Amino acid sequence: MRIVAGSAKGRALQGPKPSSGHIRPTADRVRETIFNMLGQFLDGQAVLDLYAGTGALGLEALSRGAGRVVLVDQDREAQALCRLNTDALGFAAQVSILAQPVARAVETLGKKGERFELVFADPPYAARVVETVLEAVAASGVVAPGGTVVVEHDKREEAPEAHAGLTRDDQRRFGDTLVSFYRAP
């Protein structure tokens, strides 16, 4: 795994141990396509990375000019990987890591008035929580007006055309993976 573009282009990211089956990093080619669709540079945007795993999506956003990133994961190995990768890339001053379940973290961020122009969610495929994630981010108010929510999920899980005020703009398939893009009003 490597950062695909931007200030940290080509820098390696530490991945999970081979024995760790519960962290599934987003493949480089999927990340590259996601950012090609979002625009190459993020010009100071605030980014929220839910189910962060290695932190690859959020750190890619920083490499491409995001201003700050909040990485959320309740798994201890994922938290350690996020810290390790953040420090290795020199992004520690721009990253906050929340060691909480996603629903609680989103609620807490919303109560603090935090707003994000870009929200990534890459939950475990078996969890089947696309609608739950969309509901949580919409209800908490963490998505800035006109913001984008990108959800990576299993191809067998239907992603609704619209949910909780978010409208699906696009969807791309990569083998067993679907990436659904939602826009806030």
Side-chain angles (χ1 to χ4, degrees):
M1 277 191 328
R2 297 192 174 283
I3 295 294
V4 177
S7 65
K9 179 180 180 176
R11 302 273 307 272
L13 295 171
Q14 183 70 39
K17 297 174 191 165
S19 61
S20 175
H22 59 281
I23 298 175
R24 178 195 34 77
T26 300
D28 290 356
R29 72 180 178 92
V30 175
R31 258 186 298 120
E32 183 173 22
T33 300
I34 288 170
F35 283 96
N36 285 343
M37 293 178 68
L38 294 171
Q40 288 296 312
F41 300 100
L42 301 178
D43 300 327
Q45 292 183 12
V47 177
L48 177 60
D49 187 353
L50 305 172
Y51 306 96
T54 62
L57 285 167
L59 297 173
E60 183 77 39
L62 281 174
S63 180
R64 293 171 183 251
R68 68 184 180 95
V69 172
V70 176
L71 303 174
V72 177
D73 208 302
Q74 68 180 3
D75 181 80
R76 287 181 193 265
E77 181 183 1
Q79 294 160 22
L81 285 168
C82 287
R83 278 188 204 90
L84 181 72
N85 287 327
T86 296
D87 291 345
L89 295 175
F91 291 149
Q94 297 165 276
V95 175
S96 299
I97 299 171
L98 293 182
Q100 297 179 344
V102 164
R104 185 177 331 141
V106 168
E107 183 180 349
T108 300
L109 291 166
K111 286 180 180 176
K112 289 181 177 180
E114 298 270 1
R115 299 294 172 265
F116 301 89
E117 288 85 12
L118 182 56
V119 177
F120 293 113
D122 185 9
Y125 287 1
R128 304 251 187 227
V129 295
V130 171
E131 289 188 37
T132 304
V133 168
L134 295 173
E135 184 73 38
V137 298
S140 68
V142 296
V143 183
T148 301
V149 179
V150 180
V151 184
E152 188 176 333
H153 56 98
D154 188 275
K155 70 178 182 184
R156 293 174 294 269
E157 182 178 7
E158 286 294 320
E161 292 284 330
H163 188 75
L166 299 168
T167 305
R168 191 174 75 204
D169 279 351
D170 204 341
Q171 189 174 66
R172 300 292 167 103
R173 183 172 173 182
F174 305 87
D176 289 339
T177 298
L178 277 176
V179 179
S180 298
F181 295 79
Y182 289 87
R183 182 87 50 205

